[in-house]
Amino acid sequence: MKADATFQAPPPGARPDWTIDQGWEAYSDAEHQVWITLYERQTALLPGRACDAFLRGLDALDLHRTGIPDFARVNEELSRLTGWSVVAVPGLVPDDVFFDHLANRRFPAGQFIRKPQELDYLQEPDIFHDVFGHVPMLTDPVFADYMQAYGKGGQRALGFGHLHNLARLYWYTVEFGLMETAAGLRIYGAGIVSSYSESRFALDDPSPNRLGFDLERVMRTPYRIDDFQQVYFVVPALQTLLDVTVETDFAPLYARLETASDIPIAAIEPADRVFTRGTQAYANAGGRT
Ligand code: PHE
Ligand code: FE
């Protein structure tokens, strides 16, 4: 997602909806090798950390170890399971374009893959983040509905001028969400499952707060795009997330948020359900730098 209110023309070679051909045949051996390295690292780490829906989706889609997946093949299975498809885009797309894709069950994924020297950290989402991170969850019928509803909600938020609040919901669920299960906390957020270091940090590190998900609370909480999160929000189940967001009319909420102040990123509020009271040691020590 990208905050931008004005119309942007798609780059040369892209269609009006910003999609491009994936051009699967054109990936080099070195690029396939980057995928394989990342894929093997993550799949070794994620059992017992990622939620069942993610692991099941990963299995079902067979995002094979042999290299970058061909969207045409992924889409055969994905569309059969939930009616979603993955479409290739050159990079970040304008908000209205992004929401229109989601509202129509199309997930825009970056076509390019990171360089071998930037396996761990990159600014713009690449194909590994977008496909490995996001697409397995789209095989889950409940999450699939949530993402589509989010797309429609995004179109609505744009109209109200409250996208910054809705973007926080995306961030703390779709990108960095945790889930409570009988076996303990599990990851469903794409930003976590696609990151070797954050897959461990998000669950194991004593630094971040881990708090119960509350819609309005989340929408008042800023987030970090440059480092590990200082707070993660835990949903009881994907169904709860879907029910709460679909059944709540966000219009009065946006109106309230006009005057409500932001909650400092590392704060714990009296009403919060606390899974972890974080030490914030990592952030206080300066984080990544
Ligand atoms: N119910 C929200 C609204 O009224 C739409 C929405 C649904 C937003 C699901 C996000 C996720 O705008
Ligand atoms: Fe993402």
Side-chain angles (χ1 to χ4, degrees), residues 143-160:
F143 193 83
D145 285 353
Y146 174 66
M147 284 290 271
Q148 179 177 27
Y150 186 91
K152 292 182 187 161
Q155 294 170 330
R156 204 162 171 241
L158 274 178
F160 289 127

Side-chain angles (χ1 to χ4, degrees), residues 24-25 83 140 170 206 211 218 234 254 266 289:
W24 185 79
E25 305 74 20
D140 180 87
Y170 191 89
L211 307 174
V218 164
V234 181
Y254 293 143
T289 47

Side-chain angles (χ1 to χ4, degrees), residues 163-191:
L163 192 55
H164 60 289
N165 296 117
L166 191 74
R168 291 168 175 179
L169 175 64
Y170 191 89
W171 195 262
Y172 283 120
T173 61
V174 177
E175 295 291 355
F176 292 95
L178 297 181
M179 185 191 302
E180 190 182 12
T181 78
L185 297 186
R186 292 290 183 270
I187 307 162
Y188 71 93

